[in-house]
Amino acid sequence: MDSVGPLSRKLFAAAKEHIPGGVNSPVRAFRNVGGEPFFVHKAAGSRIEDVDGKTYIDYIGSWGPNILGHAPVVITNTIHEVAKNGVSFGIPNPFEVEMARTICNWVPSVEKVRMCSSGTEATMSAIRLARGYTKRDFIIKFDGCYHGHSDSLLVAAGSGALTHGEPDSAGVPASFAEKTIVLPYNHPEALEKAFAKQGEQIAAIIVESYPANAGFVLPQPGFLDLLRSITKRHGALLIFDEVMTGFRLGKAGVQGLENLDPDISCFGKVIGGGLPVGAFGGLAKIMNQLAPDGPVYQAGTLSGNPLAMAAGLAQLKELAKPSGYPRLEELGAHFESGLRQVMEAKGMPYRLNRVGSMFCLFFTQREIINVDDVVKQDLEIFKKLFWGCLNKGIYLAPSPYETGFISLAHTEADLDDTLSVIEDVISTI
Ligand SMILES: *Cc1c(COP(=O)(O)O)cnc(C)c1O
């Protein structure tokens, strides 16, 4: 098996002594590719450097937040300047107001927004808000969509199409999971059936606007519109989890691309500029149900943290320039056409989903409709590609269920270098 450098291996051994599995988030353990992770001590632009001194062109970008690349000067300077005046106050600060105003200006469906410290908090709070607002208990989520790790959302499909969800983790009480209905994504009939059966009890549908945590799966034509119309018809709310896609695929995320207004939207990742952040927002009449105005409790010691707000605002300002989203699309399109050429020349069955700076390559002939298709791809080819690329200085996600990210720091030369490595590696498979 391929392996990483000696200093990384030593650190991982030390990490495993005091950190469960040696990591603070499971995917970092490289279990899906069978190996050990490397440790990074610095990064700049499109590249990260491991503790053994090897550099890699990075396609993870800290799992989404680093859309300008690593350590962009606009963000590091902002953090230095703001930190001189204090890193946390626990009292309102001006950056929170500017962040809220920016989000509401960029995302038409959001009239008011509450900041928190992670995407998990955002979706957890959005669910509580939806339940409090509708005075209903059930929620619908889709198999393969990831919304962070709160109890109501760590739920897997039960046996039988319309049964209630089952805990997807030890420690989640079955009685919580029962309130979450898990349906297949892109399956209108299953949705119609669930609402026909218990539409009056359903508080909300939560959906990853473009699911990007079990491969990168796109909605079939009409599916998102159906989510909007069916929730309206039954007095339920539609929650768009745009933690990954928000502020990455455009100023208004997927809802902007699809011209669709959800009732509540969840954000994170890009709006924190690499610092811990989350946010959820929507119509004022719904958001006003939150404490201290309303009965739905939600709070956070570090919510609206001045460093995170200032770093996020600095990032959003860069993205708003003409050199922002259009450039990401240009880079994404360049990479996509190159990758298609490589795969077609090799004659290997594949699917490639790409929107803007997000991409995912699948080793399968199957059309990618939902997670069932994603898991049926050839995972051995994926592993070989991952290690082959890593050895040659290209860091792709260490799991076939993750999306790749291109940043504004990537150049056409980076992408072309990457494509020729992929071509080399693929030719040996
Ligand atoms: C990353 C992610 C989350 C969780 O955010 P954390 O900040 O990791 O808690 C939730 N939903 C989606 C769609 C995500 O991609």
Side-chain angles (χ1 to χ4, degrees), residues 64-69 72 74-75 99 102-103 106-107 242-253 267-274 310-329 331 356-357 405-410:
N66 296 352
I67 195 168
L68 305 181
V74 282
I75 292 185
M99 177 58 89
T102 304
I103 294 174
W106 286 25
V107 188
E242 297 228 46
V243 171
M244 190 82 103
T245 52
F247 306 96
R248 172 168 283 276
L249 295 184
K251 280 180 130 181
F267 303 109
K269 298 191 171 124
V270 166
I271 45 163
L313 284 164
Q315 176 139 285
L316 295 183
K317 279 197 188 106
E318 290 302 306
L319 289 168
K321 294 177 180 173
S323 53
Y325 297 113
R327 174 65 181 153
L328 286 166
E329 169 58 29
L331 290 166
S357 53
F405 299 103
I406 295 167
S407 79
L408 282 174
H410 286 77

Side-chain angles (χ1 to χ4, degrees), residues 118-120 123 146-148 208 213 241 243-244 269:
S118 69
T120 293
T123 54
Y146 177 69
H147 304 289
E208 266 191 87
N213 284 284
D241 179 352
V243 171
M244 190 82 103
K269 298 191 171 124

Side-chain angles (χ1 to χ4, degrees), residues 102-299:
T102 304
I103 294 174
C104 294
N105 283 344
W106 286 25
V107 188
S109 72
V110 177
E111 294 175 350
K112 286 191 175 181
V113 61
R114 172 68 58 86
M115 302 304 301
C116 51
S117 297
S118 69
T120 293
E121 276 182 72
T123 54
M124 175 187 78
S125 306
I127 295 287
R128 185 180 307 135
L129 177 59
R131 285 173 165 158
Y133 179 79
T134 58
K135 302 188 172 63
R136 300 173 177 184
D137 287 345
F138 285 84
I139 58 167
I140 289 179
K141 85 174 277 288
F142 296 100
D143 202 15
C145 282
Y146 177 69
H147 304 289
H149 58 90
S150 68
D151 286 342
S152 293
L153 294 166
L154 271 189
V155 179
S159 46
L162 268 186
T163 55
H164 300 145
E166 291 172 356
D168 200 18
S169 162
V172 174
S175 55
F176 287 20
E178 273 168 19
K179 299 278 191 268
T180 302
I181 301 163
V182 183
L183 300 179
Y185 185 76
N186 271 336
H187 197 312
E189 295 79 30
L191 195 63
E192 301 274 7
K193 254 184 172 169
F195 271 95
K197 188 176 168 213
Q198 54 187 136
E200 307 319 303
Q201 296 173 288
I202 294 168
I205 294 178
I206 185 167
V207 64
E208 266 191 87
S209 42
Y210 287 167
N213 284 284
F216 184 41
V217 179
L218 296 173
Q220 299 281 95
F223 186 66
L224 293 180
D225 290 324
L226 174 64
L227 300 186
R228 181 61 287 182
S229 60
I230 204 165
T231 43
K232 273 218 169 106
R233 212 177 329 133
H234 291 271
L237 301 185
L238 177 60
I239 303 172
F240 258 25
D241 179 352
E242 297 228 46
V243 171
M244 190 82 103
T245 52
F247 306 96
R248 172 168 283 276
L249 295 184
K251 280 180 130 181
V254 171
Q255 53 193 282
L257 299 181
E258 299 278 350
N259 203 13
L260 213 113
D261 283 345
D263 300 296
I264 303 176
S265 302
C266 302
F267 303 109
K269 298 191 171 124
V270 166
I271 45 163
L275 291 177
V277 90
F280 61 105
L283 296 175
K285 68 175 183 193
I286 298 172
M287 295 303 290
N288 289 341
Q289 297 301 305
L290 284 177
D293 281 350
V296 178
Y297 193 71
Q298 195 277 336

